[in-house]
Amino acid sequence: EAPEAEEEAPDTEEDEEAPMETISLDAGADDEEAEMDVTELDIQAAQRSLFGDAGADPAVEVVDIDVEDVEDVEIPDFAGSPTAPRAAAAPSTAEDGLQAVREVGAKALETVTVELREDREFMLAASRMCPLLDMLSYASEKLRGELYADREFMLRAIEEAGAAMLAHAAKGLRADLGFMMEASAVSSAAEAMQYASEELRMMLDDDDDEDD
């Protein structure tokens, strides 16, 4: 029985040496697998901390965002908020337009319709709620031409804004001696007569020569 034990000993040594050689050859592969196992564990641990046990392995969908799509994002509208300033609605009628002029001045004439800015009665009413020159700046070109030829309006304009308004007066008015005398009475006579038509000035000069 003793010799049989000695014969089995070498077999045992060979069996122990074989696994040692296998471990040394595959050591690098085992290290990589170990690193991969550690990385997966770290990821799973991070997922558990963020999502809990139920979200340990969530299905994450990566979505590409197109810049053009961002422009279509709906912006919340806070216009209805009690603290948000409300834009004034454009006046649609003469009454609304005059009320707007009464509240904010001639600036409101920017928002009225073209028809109202061509309306003589409306614009004259507006001119009594704001400076006359401001009203004229918003009046249509056609209406301004009509007002510059209106005797009463021009006398009022000269009285409020000065004799320089005669530069806009229709030629027929500037050739009218009676009108020019009235204009001189509500402003500087010397300045007003500078705007008289050439024919009127020549007539006045002839009268002065006859008097001499």
Side-chain angles (χ1 to χ4, degrees), residues 132-147:
L132 184 141
L133 292 180
D134 291 346
M135 179 278 289
L136 286 173
S137 67
Y138 292 107
S140 66
E141 184 176 354
K142 178 183 178 182
L143 180 57
R144 283 199 300 269
E146 294 177 2
L147 294 176

Side-chain angles (χ1 to χ4, degrees), residues 166 171 174-177 180 189-209:
L166 286 165
K171 184 177 181 180
R174 291 185 287 111
D176 186 322
L177 178 59
M180 293 303 295
E191 185 179 359
M193 293 310 294
Q194 294 177 3
Y195 295 98
S197 66
E198 185 177 354
E199 294 83 355
L200 180 57
R201 287 200 303 269
M202 290 177 61
M203 183 183 72
L204 294 174
D205 290 341
D206 291 341
D207 290 343
D208 290 339
D209 292 340

